[in-house]
Amino acid sequence: MSSISKETLQRLPGYLRHLKELQKQNIENVSSNAIAEVFQYNPVQVRKDFASIAGEAGKPKTGFSVNNLISDISEFLGYNNINEAVLVGVGNLGHALLSYSGFKNYGLEIVAAFDVNPEKTLVHGHRVLDVKYMSDFVKRFNILIGIITVPQESAQAVCDMLITAGIKAIWNFSPTHLDIPNNIAIMNVDMASSLAVLSQRLSEIMKNEK
Amino acid sequence: MSSISKETLQRLPGYLRHLKELQKQNIENVSSNAIAEVFQYNPVQVRKDFASIAGEAGKPKTGFSVNNLISDISEFLGYNNINEAVLVGVGNLGHALLSYSGFKNYGLEIVAAFDVNPEKTLVHGHRVLDVKYMSDFVKRFNILIGIITVPQESAQAVCDMLITAGIKAIWNFSPTHLDIPNNIAIMNVDMASSLAVLSQRLSEIMKNEK
DNA sequence: ATAATATCGATAACACAGTATCGATATAGC
DNA sequence: GCTATATCGATACTGTGTTATCGATATTAT
């Protein structure tokens, strides 16, 4: 089992971004308190998060070394070795993801995109191929990650194809639940869930305003 | 305080989608067990989720009424009364969100989009205006939700503008931490966090495969 | 009618994430 | 050098989400 909690994992990229800001400002050390202040977390939580991944401890009165934290978190998140991925579904959202140049910093490289009806052969510097070549491509280059940005109605079919081709992780942007075997990793980016949380928070706030 | 947990809240849209599928197939009742099976949840959890929002209880041996659940969840999530939102940043991601026609089903309507340099006046049926008109627009129409899809470096500035104009909830798609007062709701859609979780799961799986 | 069974709700047990407390210690100031 | 203090790590506590258990009850079958 994984020893680090999902919650900690999700906070790490935020810390990393902030630490890089500090690095730019030539700040060498930072206390858990200062970081907690920025993110509105509890300082103990910040220390625990760091303790679960950092090789090095913080020092009393000084705090943590910004540089060390940056390398520890980057290393832990696997930002130093790139995972290759394919993207399926070059619609509006597919375009948006292909246009995002930041994935490489997160250890992800989209090496090809596929669509049922490719209108262009190149989108933001990424090859776009007919989806019929997808399976071969995935097998041939041993791709492990598939990004699904197809419409809801074809998502399950695409998912099945990807898995059959050998994909081990699915990043699903399609608004649907995918049925997958339990030896496949999945992460859903669900706008409806996200919006549900935001709406609820908004209601709370409006209730308090009154 | 809000009585429903964030976790439950995030599961509700998934249930709703599934229930609507069942409705299409003219299935009238469904057991917590059947739903749990689909989502790989624990049946007790499904019942608890329903108990926390449903006006009506399930019946022994029969389960829950699909129709009733659909109306209860829709109502609870506020899908019956539309919230108006503005979107700021009509780049690739902005385009993608503007193209998505599903928000209305989730109780959200993007009534206008803004950009520093609007290339078109209309994107997927949405008016696009210069960002200099944003503040007035938000005040005039009393908009409560702002969607931020600008690049990281301008996100905080846009956020501040929105809040000053009267926005009460921010849906942030920009990869940065936003500093906001605590009477403003925020929900971050952070690709890096999402990817961190997926990568971790992938590592686990690859470890087990060996 | 009666018995069997699927399913529920309630309550209790468990697991785990978050928070509080406190002694230890590195640095800074006197 | 000695004292004060910021900050840490460890441990203990709390709170919340998840899971297990179990008695109650509609429905179905005999």
Side-chain angles (χ1 to χ4, degrees):
Chain A
M1 276 295 124
S2 99
S3 58
I4 197 157
S5 79
K6 187 182 162 188
E7 282 71 20
T8 295
L9 210 43
Q10 294 191 95
R11 285 188 291 267
L12 291 177
Y15 293 140
L16 188 57
R17 275 194 291 260
H18 179 61
L19 289 163
K20 285 186 173 168
E21 278 302 313
L22 298 179
Q23 196 181 44
K24 262 190 217 160
Q25 300 165 232
N26 291 314
I27 294 169
E28 289 186 8
N29 296 289
V30 66
S31 71
S32 58
N33 236 294
I35 294 179
E37 179 78 15
V38 171
F39 290 97
Q40 304 270 57
Y41 298 156
N42 181 302
V44 180
Q45 183 171 70
V46 175
R47 288 204 293 276
K48 278 202 167 182
D49 285 342
F50 290 170
S52 65
I53 57 104
E56 204 173 346
K59 277 200 287 191
K61 189 94 180 185
T62 310
F64 295 83
S65 151
V66 171
N67 286 336
N68 289 349
L69 281 179
I70 289 175
S71 27
D72 286 348
I73 296 176
S74 299
E75 178 60 31
F76 185 88
L77 291 176
Y79 288 180
N80 301 326
N81 41 334
I82 303 286
N83 270 310
E84 293 183 326
V86 294
L87 179 147
V88 191
V90 189
N92 284 292
L93 182 55
H95 261 89
L97 293 183
L98 291 173
S99 79
Y100 184 52
S101 55
F103 287 134
K104 266 202 169 157
N105 302 324
Y106 302 149
L108 187 82
E109 185 183 0
I110 302 175
V111 291
F114 297 90
D115 200 278
V116 276
N117 187 18
E119 292 173 3
K120 307 172 189 167
T121 55
L122 211 62
V123 170
H124 298 294
H126 299 272
R127 264 179 304 173
V128 181
L129 305 169
D130 192 294
V131 75
K132 67 186 173 195
Y133 303 122
M134 184 187 78
S135 187
D136 279 349
F137 187 98
V138 167
K139 279 177 197 155
R140 181 140 156 224
F141 296 105
N142 209 3
I143 309 294
L144 295 180
I145 300 178
I147 304 172
I148 298 183
T149 47
V150 299
Q152 186 249 109
E153 57 272 18
S154 30
Q156 184 66 57
V158 165
C159 176
D160 294 344
M161 279 175 63
L162 284 167
I163 292 171
T164 305
I167 285 283
K168 294 294 173 193
I170 303 266
W171 204 8
N172 177 36
F173 287 81
S174 166
T176 189
H177 171 79
L178 296 176
D179 204 6
I180 52 158
N182 65 8
N183 65 334
I184 302 291
I186 188 158
M187 184 72 200
N188 295 296
V189 178
D190 185 349
M191 295 297 154
S193 292
S194 176
L195 188 53
V197 174
L198 183 66
S199 303
Q200 172 78 8
R201 288 179 183 167
L202 176 58
S203 305
E204 285 300 314
I205 281 175
M206 297 312 285
K207 209 167 58 189
N208 293 337
E209 297 268 303
K210 277 194 304 203
Chain B
M1 276 293 127
S2 102
S3 59
I4 196 157
S5 79
K6 186 182 162 189
E7 282 71 21
T8 295
L9 209 43
Q10 294 191 95
R11 285 187 291 267
L12 291 177
Y15 293 141
L16 187 58
R17 276 195 290 261
H18 180 60
L19 290 162
K20 285 187 172 167
E21 277 302 312
L22 297 179
Q23 195 181 44
K24 263 191 215 158
Q25 300 166 231
N26 291 314
I27 294 169
E28 289 185 6
N29 297 289
V30 65
S31 71
S32 59
N33 236 294
I35 293 179
E37 178 78 15
V38 171
F39 290 97
Q40 305 271 56
Y41 297 157
N42 182 299
V44 179
Q45 183 169 69
V46 175
R47 290 205 291 277
K48 279 205 163 179
D49 284 343
F50 290 170
S52 66
I53 56 106
E56 204 173 346
K59 277 201 288 192
K61 189 93 181 185
T62 310
F64 295 83
S65 152
V66 171
N67 287 336
N68 289 349
L69 280 179
I70 289 175
S71 25
D72 287 348
I73 296 176
S74 298
E75 178 60 30
F76 185 88
L77 290 176
Y79 287 0
N80 302 326
N81 41 335
I82 303 286
N83 269 311
E84 293 182 326
V86 294
L87 180 147
V88 191
V90 189
N92 284 291
L93 182 55
H95 261 88
L97 293 183
L98 291 173
S99 78
Y100 183 52
S101 54
F103 286 135
K104 265 202 171 159
N105 302 323
Y106 303 149
L108 187 83
E109 185 182 1
I110 302 175
V111 291
F114 297 91
D115 200 277
V116 274
N117 187 18
E119 293 173 2
K120 306 172 190 168
T121 56
L122 212 63
V123 170
H124 299 292
H126 299 272
R127 264 178 304 173
V128 181
L129 305 169
D130 193 293
V131 76
K132 68 185 171 195
Y133 303 122
M134 184 186 79
S135 188
D136 280 349
F137 187 98
V138 166
K139 279 178 198 155
R140 179 139 158 225
F141 297 106
N142 209 2
I143 309 293
L144 295 179
I145 301 178
I147 305 171
I148 298 183
T149 47
V150 299
Q152 187 250 107
E153 56 272 18
S154 30
Q156 183 66 58
V158 164
C159 176
D160 294 344
M161 280 175 63
L162 285 167
I163 292 172
T164 305
I167 285 282
K168 293 295 172 192
I170 303 266
W171 204 8
N172 177 36
F173 287 81
S174 166
T176 189
H177 170 79
L178 295 175
D179 204 5
I180 52 158
N182 64 8
N183 64 334
I184 301 292
I186 189 159
M187 183 73 200
N188 295 296
V189 178
D190 184 349
M191 296 297 154
S193 292
S194 175
L195 188 54
V197 175
L198 184 66
S199 303
Q200 173 79 7
R201 289 179 183 166
L202 176 59
S203 304
E204 285 300 315
I205 282 175
M206 297 312 285
K207 209 167 58 189
N208 293 337
E209 299 267 302
K210 276 194 305 200

